[in-house]
Amino acid sequence: MSHQPTLGLIGSGNIGGALARLAVDAGLDVVLSNSRGPETLADLVAELGPQARAATPAEAAAAGDWVVVAVPFNHYRQIPVEPLAGKVVLDATNYYPERDGSIAELDAEEVTSSELLQQHLPDSKIVKAFNNIWVKHLPTLARPTGAPDRSVLPIAGDATEAKAAATQLLDLLGFDTVDAGALADSWRFQRDAPAYVGLYFKNPQEMTMEDPGGSASAEKVRAALAAAQRPNA
């Protein structure tokens, strides 16, 4: 029996749930987890169908060919380390001091949040992805491979093969990618940067909850990444 490609999710809230739906639509198996226990994911698993199951974070980590971390950033030290050794881990987290508490080295811009996650998971291959798009635009902008209006998401990572694996996953889920560089460069599509969220709104001047999303080309994403400036630079 051949292995069915599996997406593991550590954190199954808005972003995790949206990615799980795209993964099931793409024919992947999905293993969901959160901090509250598998039983709290019963409704989502029922909605997703037989390709999905709920488990502990460690089990989701072990099961995934790719693993997405989508938890509040201040919980990153709770991510299981051993089951993720050698794995490609896509970091969808964002640092919000008002929610996460102040983290001095991030506030001083000495390091990026993805680099802190990499330090916590030294034997994993971290790729920053999915953090710069509003959750409601993930399903509305996903398109088949080769579609002319397919949107592009930036990724960043230190391992070439990990970025290739992440690109494969994003392709399956409905998006092309632009390589934004190393984890140290991932600030270019973090909160408040030009490549963060607004890029994918059809009406970025208004950014209403009803916005259906607007396609973002590779050229548009690259320009936004290049325009990023560090506030304290």
Side-chain angles (χ1 to χ4, degrees):
M1 182 176 173
S2 61
H3 171 73
Q4 179 69 10
T6 299
L7 178 63
L9 289 155
I10 298 177
S12 300
N14 291 334
I15 289 284
L19 294 175
R21 292 179 184 95
L22 291 175
V24 166
D25 288 346
L28 302 178
D29 283 348
V30 175
V31 182
L32 301 130
S33 70
N34 63 16
S35 61
R36 292 173 291 128
E39 65 281 356
T40 64
L41 294 166
D43 289 348
L44 181 56
V45 168
E47 174 199 331
L48 291 167
Q51 289 166 244
R53 65 183 175 92
T56 66
E59 289 165 344
D65 295 291
W66 311 266
V67 180
V68 173
V69 170
V71 300
F73 186 72
N74 59 349
H75 295 166
Y76 82 92
R77 289 187 178 88
Q78 298 168 24
I79 302 298
V81 177
E82 292 301 325
L84 289 171
K87 300 218 173 197
V88 175
V89 178
L90 289 89
D91 174 19
T93 67
N94 285 300
Y95 168 54
Y96 295 119
E98 62 271 28
R99 177 196 65 191
D100 300 321
S102 181
I103 300 174
E105 53 197 323
L106 293 180
D107 295 339
E109 296 175 352
E110 297 167 354
V111 70
T112 63
S113 57
S114 288
E115 287 176 295
L116 289 183
L117 182 62
Q118 181 68 81
Q119 290 173 22
H120 174 67
L121 300 171
D123 297 320
S124 304
K125 300 178 180 70
I126 306 298
V127 179
K128 190 76 167 183
F130 299 123
N131 68 297
N132 74 316
I133 183 170
W134 187 39
V135 63
K136 291 190 177 181
H137 289 158
L138 280 168
T140 63
L141 293 180
R143 298 286 188 277
T145 304
D149 62 341
R150 203 180 210 212
S151 283
V152 174
L153 295 176
I155 60 171
D158 295 340
T160 301
E161 69 275 18
K163 287 194 276 193
T167 296
Q168 178 191 23
L169 175 65
L170 269 73
D171 180 45
L172 288 169
L173 299 188
F175 295 90
D176 287 340
T177 55
V178 157
D179 188 343
L183 292 179
D185 301 309
S186 60
W187 63 270
R188 290 186 176 275
F189 54 102
Q190 290 182 167
R191 182 188 187 179
D192 297 331
Y196 185 77
V197 178
L199 204 59
Y200 303 95
F201 273 74
K202 185 175 183 179
N203 299 302
Q205 286 74 32
E206 298 180 16
M207 292 177 68
T208 65
M209 298 290 284
E210 290 73 37
D211 188 281
S215 174
S217 66
E219 182 181 30
K220 185 176 180 181
V221 173
R222 285 194 183 99
L225 291 167
Q229 294 183 337
R230 287 197 133 163
N232 297 333

